[in-house]
Amino acid sequence: MTGRGQASAGDLLELVRSGRATTRGALQQATGLSRATVGQRLERLFRAGWLREGAGGPVDSPLGGRPSITLEFDDEHAVVLAADLDTRHARAAVLTLTGEILAEHGGTPVIEDGPDAVLGELGRWFAELLEKAGRPAEAVCGIGLAVPGPVDSETGRVVQPPIMPGWDGYDIRGRLGRAFTEHTGGPAVPVLVDNDANLMAYGEQRTGYPDCSAFVLVKVSTGIGAGVVVGGSIFRGIDGGAGDIGHIRVGADALCRCGSYGCLAAVASGGAVARRLAEAGVPAASGSDVRDLLAAGHPEALGLAREAGRQVGDVLATVVTLLNPGVLMIAGDLAGTAFLTGVRELLYQRALPRSTAHLDVVTSRLGERAGLVGAGALVVEYLYAPERVEERLLALGV
């Protein structure tokens, strides 16, 4: 926030959205602005439709008087579109600005078909979902997309993704934006792209562990990746490569899809377990096939999942020692009892007791919706950041 007495309308909106100040009096106290200035800046937010008055709060003065009118972020003035791509399936949804899913759809576009076809399909899904949710395209304020590869957050382009052939450097933002407009007739809107594990971590941390200042999510599906949320923000590294633990070398001689030998993903991912099952005569081609076998209690799948969990747990001992998180969440196709048991075996054996003394090792709460919720939240936090609020208010002429 800018200094006391200089707070903008965007700063006031941030205080209301976070719950730190939800009355006019509290906003004056928090910002040092006069009553008239607070009123003027709030009026802009009311005219934009971003704030509304709620019920009266408690009377603060011992002398009594009328209760203060509370202020609330109006989450009904717009919606967000979100999509979560995996190698062999995808999900898309319409969400409110507070993360409630109004309509969703799942399907099986193959990421190897390339970005033009896959993103065009998402545009068709978006049109159908808006109709299902009963919201016009003009109500969409932005689109969030989760992809299974490293993303340069400045450009929204994936960078040398091992399991996304044909996507390297592609203009995802531009193509998805055009697909939205072509299929819905809606205006151009911002499109944000991030790694799927990052957005899963963001969604899970915000909804289930908002007070956890260091949160790690590990997604084990066709590949392996981790999302890290520190201080409420996604930690991406300098160019989006943070969390790519699937390509840590573990000493094996298996060939990875990235072209190197001995990567963790080559021996412990859902794809690696599927390959070993297929070699043993069990029909399995992907992490989702392994998930189905695990759900059915297939003994060989359970054994291999536990072994994979031990291999991942060995690497996570270093991750936990380095980051000292409060929560380590296991998600993805292999995130079941067998895999989690293997992770815990090696993690607690290899990590220092101090590193795990206050660590909760858990599985996903949001399940397949985690990436959607995180993608939606990414868009909302981008659009309603104080500095961007000012730009948008000026564009609206308020």
Side-chain angles (χ1 to χ4, degrees):
M1 184 189 298
T2 50
R4 286 179 62 87
Q6 301 176 11
S8 67
D11 291 320
L12 267 58
L13 182 64
E14 176 68 17
L15 287 167
V16 173
R17 287 185 62 228
S18 66
R20 287 178 288 169
T22 57
T23 66
R24 286 169 172 81
L27 289 170
Q28 287 177 242
Q29 186 174 10
T31 62
L33 296 175
S34 69
R35 180 176 180 178
T37 302
V38 166
Q40 290 168 358
R41 294 183 181 172
L42 290 178
E43 179 60 25
R44 298 177 69 200
L45 298 171
F46 282 120
R47 287 167 60 194
W50 298 352
L51 274 189
R52 64 188 174 203
E53 291 186 339
V59 177
D60 295 327
S61 171
L63 301 177
R66 292 192 302 173
S68 300
I69 299 298
T70 59
L71 303 169
E72 299 174 350
F73 179 59
D74 188 342
D75 68 336
E76 297 179 359
H77 72 269
V79 294
V80 175
L81 292 172
D84 184 4
L85 290 179
D86 209 332
T87 51
R88 294 183 180 275
H89 59 87
R91 302 182 74 83
V94 181
L95 298 94
T96 68
L97 299 180
T98 49
E100 178 188 354
I101 292 180
L102 301 177
E104 66 180 310
H105 176 74
T108 56
V110 178
I111 210 161
E112 292 181 355
D113 289 344
D116 188 63
V118 172
L119 298 174
E121 181 71 6
L122 288 182
R124 286 187 284 273
W125 288 10
F126 287 155
E128 295 169 2
L129 285 166
L130 286 169
E131 185 175 352
K132 184 177 178 182
R135 301 301 295 264
E138 291 73 21
V140 176
C141 63
I143 300 170
L145 176 66
V147 297
V151 176
D152 182 336
S153 60
E154 293 296 317
T155 65
R157 298 172 188 247
V158 292
V159 183
Q160 300 177 354
I163 58 176
M164 299 179 70
W167 291 71
D168 184 23
Y170 185 85
D171 181 16
I172 296 174
R173 288 178 180 172
R175 177 66 181 104
L176 187 55
R178 291 192 300 274
F180 165 73
T181 300
E182 289 165 6
H183 290 284
T184 68
V189 296
V191 177
L192 301 184
V193 185
D194 209 330
N195 171 262
D196 55 355
N198 283 349
L199 292 181
M200 290 172 70
Y202 197 47
E204 296 276 10
Q205 188 270 338
R206 287 172 61 88
T207 57
Y209 302 89
D211 298 326
C212 180
S213 60
F215 179 98
V216 176
L217 177 143
V218 179
K219 179 187 178 185
V220 187
S221 290
T222 299
I224 300 176
V228 180
V229 179
V230 176
S233 299
I234 298 171
F235 178 76
R236 299 181 177 90
I238 60 169
D239 61 4
D244 200 6
I245 65 169
H247 300 286
I248 292 175
R249 305 292 173 83
V250 293
D253 59 1
L255 176 63
C256 182
R257 294 182 66 170
C258 72
S260 297
Y261 286 87
C263 293
L264 180 64
V267 296
S269 65
V273 173
R275 185 172 60 252
R276 293 184 64 182
L277 286 169
E279 290 170 353
V282 180
S286 66
S288 58
D289 292 335
V290 177
R291 179 189 60 204
D292 294 340
L293 290 167
L294 292 173
H298 190 283
E300 193 155 1
L302 290 168
L304 288 174
R306 182 166 179 170
E307 181 182 338
R310 288 171 56 85
Q311 291 167 313
V312 172
D314 196 8
V315 170
L316 290 179
T318 300
V319 172
V320 165
T321 301
L322 179 66
L323 297 178
N324 189 210
V327 175
L328 172 63
M329 178 175 284
I330 307 298
D333 292 330
L334 266 60
T337 302
F339 186 87
L340 193 63
T341 298
V343 167
R344 285 178 167 146
E345 284 179 21
L346 263 289
L347 174 62
Y348 289 111
Q349 178 183 325
R350 298 291 171 83
L352 289 171
R354 186 189 180 285
S355 299
T356 58
H358 302 289
L359 175 69
D360 289 331
V361 182
V362 300
T363 54
S364 171
R365 290 187 175 190
L366 297 175
E368 293 184 334
R369 290 179 163 179
L372 295 175
V373 173
L378 185 74
V379 171
V380 172
E381 292 306 313
Y382 170 82
L383 289 176
Y384 295 93
E387 65 276 10
R388 208 150 285 108
V389 164
E390 287 302 306
E391 296 173 8
R392 296 178 65 205
L393 288 174
L394 290 172
L396 290 171
V398 298

